């Protein structure tokens, strides 16, 4: 077998015509080793050439670049800055889009209820009309009673006096039911949306009341346009999941209290700092704050694991008396209660998740 490489001599397993079969004697050991070494060198050279061909070559006449020349990080960010948006709805929309917590809107629960009640009553009237038609056909001729037992005969029947047939009525009912069901599902989705946290609601309210423009505090919207923020019971947030846990809110408040350049550089990414130049609007990158919260929760869980274990070790290694078992049970009970409280306050766990973790 030969490996032929462009620009290189062929590498053959034969050497000087002394291979077995031509002279009847085998190659010496040192010649065999040399032949195998040459084959491995040729194979290595061939693979290196293939790798070089697969690399993206730089073309000066185009915008392409080699892999080595590609930047390791993004050097430019395009961010919608609040101060660059015109005062009014454009700036309010930019503010509410600048953070997931600020996506607070009305769900119009009253209007949903009114429309659902109207569609419900419309279907009730259609239902009464269908019942009346069935009862009328049941009391008239045999032909009409047969139409109640056969859909084919019923749908083939035409109205002689221009009145509505059962087929026409059922078509109308089908359309109204579809509208009613779709609207009810939409209302259910609106109801299932989460309520905004108090701190997020207060942040949006403060912006609508005291937004800055040219160094002055001005309302970005007219009073009638911004009054929706005061309907707290009708507000929902677009942020998915349960409301932020207590520890998340505490960490964010703490960062705002001790806000300084080192804190900003650690917990605020470059693209986040570009959102606003106002000293009264502070943004923190969510993923960085979440890392700090996760670190704190991990430390708390470690303490809750080590402290009860050490306490049980100390109790069981002391001189045993009649209260040793009671002390152990008390330590386990207190540790379980503290563990459940930490899960409830510091995490976003649901009730059944807390119950399962406590039982384990």
């Amino acid at each position: 077998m030969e490996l032929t490489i462009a620009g290189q001599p062929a590498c053959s397993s034969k050497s000087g015509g002394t291979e077995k079969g031509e002279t009847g004697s085998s190659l010496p050991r040192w010649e065999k080793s040399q032949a195998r070494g040459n084959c491995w060198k040729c194979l290595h050279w061939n693979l290196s050439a293939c790798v070089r061909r697969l690399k993206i070559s730089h073309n000066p006449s185009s915008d392409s670049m080699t892999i080595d020349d590609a930047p390791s990080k993004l050097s430019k960010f395009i961010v919608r800055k609040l101060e660059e948006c015109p005062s009014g709805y454009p700036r309010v929309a930019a503010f509410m889009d600048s953070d997931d917590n600020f996506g607070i809107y009305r769900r119009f629960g009253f209007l949903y209820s009114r429309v659902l009640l109207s569609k419900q009553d419309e279907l009730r009237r259609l239902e009464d009309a269908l019942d009346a038609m069935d009862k009328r056909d049941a009391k008239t001729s045999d032909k009409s009673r047969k139409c109640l037992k056969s859909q084919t005969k019923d749908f083939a029947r035409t109205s002689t006096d221009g009145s509505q047939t059962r087929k026409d009525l059922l078509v109308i009912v089908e359309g109204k039911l579809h509208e009613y069901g779709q609207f009810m599902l939409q209302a259910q989705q609106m109801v299932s949306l989460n309520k905004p946290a108090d701190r997020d609601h207060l942040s949006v309210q403060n912006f609508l009341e005291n937004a800055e423009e040219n160094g002055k505090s001005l309302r970005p919207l007219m009073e009638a346009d911004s009054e929706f923020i005061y309907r707290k019971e009708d507000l929902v947030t677009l942020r998915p999941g349960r409301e932020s846990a207590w520890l998340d809110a505490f960490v964010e408040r703490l960062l705002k209290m001790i806000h300084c350049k080192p804190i900003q550089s650690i917990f605020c990414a470059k693209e986040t700092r570009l959102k606003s130049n106002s000293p009264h609007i502070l943004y923190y990158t969510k993923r960085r704050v979440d890392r700090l919260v996760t670190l704190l929760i991990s430390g708390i869980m470690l303490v809750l694991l080590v402290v009860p274990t050490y306490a049980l070790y100390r109790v069981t290694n002391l001189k045993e008396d009649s209260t040793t078992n009671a002390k152990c049970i008390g330590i386990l009970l207190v540790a379980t209660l503290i563990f459940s409280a930490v899960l409830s306050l510091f995490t976003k766990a649901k009730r059944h998740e807390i119950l399962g973790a406590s039982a384990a």
Side-chain angles (χ1 to χ4, degrees), residues 91-187:
R91 185 170 299 181
V92 173
F95 173 77
M96 299 180 74
D97 182 59
S98 62
D99 193 280
D100 294 341
N101 297 322
F102 298 158
I104 300 175
Y105 306 93
R106 287 189 61 184
R107 63 182 178 90
F108 291 101
F110 172 75
L111 295 181
Y112 269 100
S113 299
R114 285 296 302 268
V115 174
L116 282 173
L117 288 172
S118 176
K119 291 183 176 297
Q120 174 182 276
D121 189 68
E122 189 175 6
L123 284 170
R124 179 194 60 82
R125 293 195 300 269
L126 292 173
E127 184 183 27
D128 293 342
L130 184 61
D131 290 338
M133 185 178 297
D134 293 340
K135 293 177 180 178
R136 184 178 65 249
D137 289 344
K139 295 179 180 179
T140 54
S141 61
D142 293 338
K143 183 179 179 180
S144 298
R145 284 194 291 270
K146 289 181 180 179
C147 290
L148 293 175
K149 299 179 181 180
S150 174
Q151 289 276 42
T152 304
K153 294 182 178 181
D154 187 34
F155 288 172
R157 185 173 57 173
T158 58
S159 177
T160 56
D161 55 356
S163 60
Q164 196 175 48
T165 62
R166 187 179 288 102
K167 179 180 179 181
D168 298 334
L169 183 58
L170 288 175
V171 170
I172 297 175
V173 170
E174 180 183 0
K176 297 298 181 181
L177 278 175
H178 181 74
E179 294 178 6
Y180 181 73
Q182 291 292 330
F183 198 79
M184 180 169 286
L185 290 177
Q186 186 177 352

Side-chain angles (χ1 to χ4, degrees), residues 330-348:
I331 292 173
L332 292 175
L333 179 61
V334 172
T336 303
L337 291 176
I338 296 176
F339 179 77
S340 302
V342 168
L343 285 180
S344 178
L345 293 175
F346 294 170
T347 69
K348 302 174 184 179

Side-chain angles (χ1 to χ4, degrees), residues 73-78 270 274:
K73 293 183 180 179
L74 292 175
S75 58
K76 184 179 180 181
F77 301 95
I78 299 178
K270 182 179 179 181
L274 296 175

